[in-house]
Amino acid sequence: MEGSIKDLASYRLQTAKDDLKRAEFAYEMNDYKLALNRSYYAIFHALRAVNSLDVYDSSKHKGVITHFNKEHVKTGEFPKDISKMIANAMNFRQKSDYEDFYIISQSDAEEQVANARYVLDLIEKYLSERIDGK
């Protein structure tokens, strides 16, 4: 595999991991809005890491998600439940970022952080197999 693609996938995965750490910290500090935001971006950057192996990117979030679902979920590389998690994360993030007075509950924030952790674990394993052959 070309080094620059491998490097890009690794960089994007590290960005996702950093966002997940921020989400977990925000949750611990009872900043549920920030936890939700960083959880979504952890997922988003992880998807971009996978898509980079396809030499695909998009300037639109929907484009990144659509490509991932079409090329990696519908093909069976990832479980179907991941699509719903991604959609929910995006929906929560959009509401909390753009709706005035939107309040995220502790349980919703906890679920989103857990979902982000689940998605990253799957993607990290997938990338390890694809890039390192492990």
Side-chain angles (χ1 to χ4, degrees), residues 1 14 17 30 35 41 43 53-54 58 60-61 68 77 82 86-87 90 95 134:
M1 183 172 293
Q14 186 58 53
K17 289 178 178 181
N30 299 322
Y41 277 102
I43 292 170
L53 299 182
D54 303 331
S58 175
K60 305 232 181 254
H61 287 228
F68 177 82
E77 291 178 311
I82 201 172
I86 295 165
M90 183 176 191
K95 283 182 179 181
K134 293 181 183 175

Side-chain angles (χ1 to χ4, degrees), residues 77-97:
E77 291 178 311
F78 289 92
K80 292 191 186 307
D81 67 340
I82 201 172
S83 289
K84 187 172 183 177
M85 290 179 186
I86 295 165
N88 285 342
M90 183 176 191
N91 186 41
F92 273 120
R93 199 266 316 167
Q94 287 178 326
K95 283 182 179 181
S96 73
D97 283 357

Side-chain angles (χ1 to χ4, degrees), residues 10-130:
S10 296
Y11 174 80
R12 288 178 176 173
L13 180 62
Q14 186 58 53
T15 300
K17 289 178 178 181
D18 292 345
D19 280 335
L20 179 58
K21 285 180 191 172
R22 290 180 185 102
E24 291 168 337
F25 179 74
Y27 178 80
E28 290 171 13
M29 300 304 295
N30 299 322
D31 189 343
Y32 304 134
K33 186 175 180 178
L34 182 60
L36 191 145
N37 179 283
R38 291 296 93 194
S39 293
Y40 167 74
Y41 277 102
I43 292 170
F44 176 72
H45 290 297
L47 300 182
R48 289 184 71 220
V50 172
N51 289 350
S52 67
L53 299 182
D54 303 331
V55 192
Y56 177 85
D57 200 15
S58 175
S59 61
K60 305 232 181 254
H61 287 228
K62 192 164 185 84
V64 169
I65 293 166
T66 298
H67 178 85
F68 177 82
N69 283 330
K70 180 181 174 193
E71 300 298 326
H72 300 282
V73 176
K74 287 186 179 178
T75 61
E77 291 178 311
F78 289 92
K80 292 191 186 307
D81 67 340
I82 201 172
S83 289
K84 187 172 183 177
M85 290 179 186
I86 295 165
N88 285 342
M90 183 176 191
N91 186 41
F92 273 120
R93 199 266 316 167
Q94 287 178 326
K95 283 182 179 181
S96 73
D97 283 357
Y98 300 112
E99 289 184 17
D100 293 329
F101 308 113
Y102 182 78
I103 298 173
I104 181 78
S105 70
Q106 178 182 2
S107 63
D108 284 340
E110 182 177 25
E111 180 180 354
Q112 292 307 305
V113 171
N115 287 349
R117 193 176 305 114
Y118 171 76
V119 171
L120 260 64
D121 286 346
L122 289 175
I123 287 177
E124 185 170 24
K125 182 178 183 233
Y126 174 84
L127 290 173
S128 178
E129 290 170 0
R130 288 279 314 270

